[in-house]
Amino acid sequence: MINKNSKIFVAGHNGLVGSAIVRKLREKGYKKIITVNKTKLDLTNQSKVYNFFKKKKPKFIFIAAAKVGGIYSNNKYRAEFIYSNLSIQNNIIHSAYRCNIKDMIFLGSSCVYPKFCNQPIKEDFLLNGKLEKTNEPYAIAKIAGIKMCESYNDQYKTNYKCLMPTNTFGPNDNYDLLNSHFFPSMIRKIHELKQKKGKNLILWGDGSPKRELIYVDDLADACVFFMNKKIKETIINIGTGKDLTIKEYANLLLKIIYPGKKLKILFDRTKPNGTPRKVLNINLAKKYGWKAKTNIEEAIKITYRDYLRKTTK
Ligand SMILES: NC(=O)c1ccc[n+]([C@@H]2O[C@H](COP(=O)([O-])OP(=O)(O)OC[C@H]3O[C@@H](n4cnc5c(N)ncnc54)[C@H](OP(=O)(O)O)[C@@H]3O)[C@@H](O)[C@H]2O)c1
């Protein structure tokens, strides 16, 4: 259990998930949160990570640092995705073990599961089939991270837990049109369409893939909840258990961002769809007493306000 004075290191605190974990920890009254910028500590540097842990002596670690992106960047920067993610997680997990840090949450992703697995996806479908090609290097790195946590737990009796979140969105997201995930990029496209008073919304693929989304504050809540929970399994899915098509998400965003407008949604079928359907089975998380609480429309409104704040600065 974390106590209010425990030293807690949040790796990746400037990112979407890391910043939400810091917010959640502060909200819950944890006082000793350790963070460090990438310019001061590049987590791909093994000796620097080890020395940092020796000096700062955290007791709990959340690994929310990673090289992250959407279909385009996962596919284009395949080498960087596998190298950075393997290095960051290897350095943190192994240095934590060497410094006798027993408690850690490692964030994976739902893309670790096979492309064509049964839905909703259970934790034990891991390694049951081929991965989606576009994000295979990223997924392989994340699977290595899971197996590393599992192996350290088995051999060294550590308590390293892996949470597999579904697509996440919220304040502090990346809105780059090429390098971001589908949802933030859709927010930006619709916002820019509204500014230009445009009539057609153009989306990648054919709009049919089904995706699940979780609000980042719910994911952060799960991270803190499971850090404090004794569990038997090493991996746990974190999602809402509900999915919509890309087209349905577009209509939901249009309703909130550009209300009252009847726009035409056009699909660029020369671009990949990615995995046809991805929804997590969240029974295990529920069994331990955790579930997402935020209403999606409310979460989109908060996120859009954050987007407006950032883009109109
Ligand atoms: N976003 C999603 O939809 C989603 C879904 C499922 C799982 N996840 C998982 O959640 C975790 C966090 O994702 P995110 O969306 O929050 O990503 P993000 O917004 O891109 O944040 C990642 C953070 O990692 C830091 N970082 C990257 N390379 C680093 C390095 N070499 N040294 C130090 N820091 C480094 C970045 O620092 P800078 O800001 O300085 O670059 C950034 O703060 C990842 O493990 C990801 O797989 C995310």
Side-chain angles (χ1 to χ4, degrees):
M1 279 289 272
I2 326 180
N3 77 50
K4 301 290 174 199
N5 285 309
S6 305
K7 285 187 177 180
I8 309 165
F9 175 48
V10 180
H13 70 290
N14 286 320
L16 169 68
V17 181
S19 59
I21 295 174
V22 170
R23 274 200 306 277
K24 184 61 68 183
L25 288 168
R26 288 205 178 116
E27 183 190 303
K28 288 187 175 283
Y30 296 105
K31 295 187 186 75
K32 296 191 178 151
I33 304 165
I34 303 168
T35 58
V36 59
N37 284 337
K38 192 161 80 182
T39 44
K40 287 237 171 76
L41 176 66
D42 178 353
L43 293 165
T44 63
N45 184 313
Q46 189 179 34
S47 55
K48 284 192 176 160
V49 172
Y50 176 67
N51 290 334
F52 178 80
F53 286 0
K54 271 192 84 172
K55 188 168 160 212
K56 296 289 180 180
K57 298 187 175 24
K59 291 279 287 174
F60 298 87
I61 299 178
F62 293 91
I63 312 183
K67 184 158 181 64
V68 177
I71 295 183
Y72 172 82
S73 47
N74 263 282
N75 197 27
K76 182 159 172 74
Y77 307 111
R78 299 174 75 84
E80 289 175 42
F81 269 80
I82 194 158
Y83 172 76
S84 297
N85 286 307
L86 282 173
S87 304
I88 292 171
Q89 66 205 38
N90 279 350
N91 295 342
I92 297 182
I93 297 168
H94 191 61
S95 299
Y97 154 68
R98 286 179 69 201
C99 294
N100 202 27
I101 301 162
K102 296 279 188 199
D103 292 280
M104 179 154 55
I105 296 281
F106 169 66
L107 283 159
S109 154
S110 58
C111 70
V112 298
Y113 294 114
K115 178 169 180 170
F116 295 111
C117 64
N118 288 340
Q119 306 285 329
I121 307 169
K122 288 188 188 155
E123 288 84 352
D124 62 8
F125 294 173
L126 189 73
L127 293 172
N128 262 358
K130 290 202 171 186
L131 298 164
E132 155 66 29
K133 187 81 186 141
T134 49
N135 57 27
E136 193 182 59
Y138 175 76
I140 291 278
K142 291 289 184 189
I143 293 169
I146 296 168
K147 289 295 162 188
M148 198 161 165
C149 290
E150 205 172 86
S151 307
Y152 279 51
N153 290 346
D154 287 344
Q155 188 178 343
Y156 301 138
K157 309 298 167 217
T158 49
N159 192 22
Y160 299 163
K161 298 162 189 159
C162 306
L163 300 192
M164 295 305 115
T166 189
N167 292 287
T168 306
F169 76 101
N172 215 13
D173 212 339
N174 168 12
Y175 293 97
D176 187 279
L177 284 179
L178 272 184
N179 293 312
S180 61
H181 290 108
F182 87 90
F183 201 66
S185 126
M186 217 188 252
I187 291 178
R188 177 168 165 186
K189 271 189 185 169
I190 295 175
H191 172 76
E192 290 180 351
L193 198 70
K194 178 179 170 183
Q195 282 187 315
K196 285 189 298 200
K197 302 198 182 349
K199 298 201 167 35
N200 298 327
L201 172 66
I202 303 167
L203 297 176
W204 276 30
D206 65 9
S208 69
K210 295 191 86 177
R211 292 289 180 270
E212 180 187 9
L213 274 183
I214 188 166
Y215 182 52
V216 73
D217 284 18
D218 284 333
L219 172 55
D221 185 62
C223 289
V224 177
F225 178 92
F226 281 105
M227 182 69 99
N228 281 321
K229 195 89 188 163
K230 209 171 161 46
I231 61 172
K232 279 202 314 281
E233 302 77 2
T234 304
I235 87 170
I236 293 215
N237 288 340
I238 302 296
T240 59
K242 297 177 197 126
D243 59 344
L244 298 178
T245 64
I246 298 288
K247 189 175 175 185
E248 286 167 332
Y249 281 121
N251 282 320
L252 187 59
L253 283 177
L254 282 167
K255 194 174 93 182
I256 292 169
I257 299 177
Y258 205 177
K261 280 280 162 194
K262 286 248 174 299
L263 296 184
K264 202 164 179 182
I265 305 179
L266 303 175
F267 294 99
D268 178 356
R269 290 179 166 80
T270 64
K271 298 290 194 304
N273 264 339
T275 307
R277 186 180 182 215
K278 248 174 33 172
V279 61
L280 295 173
N281 178 312
I282 51 165
N283 289 347
L284 191 55
K286 273 195 192 154
K287 189 188 96 182
Y288 283 111
W290 186 86
K291 65 175 198 281
K293 297 176 194 75
T294 316
N295 166 283
I296 185 157
E297 295 205 12
E298 203 40 52
I300 293 173
K301 285 179 191 159
I302 298 169
T303 305
Y304 183 52
R305 277 200 296 272
D306 176 73
Y307 173 84
L308 287 178
R309 243 193 325 271
K310 290 222 175 76
T311 49
T312 51
K313 254 194 222 161

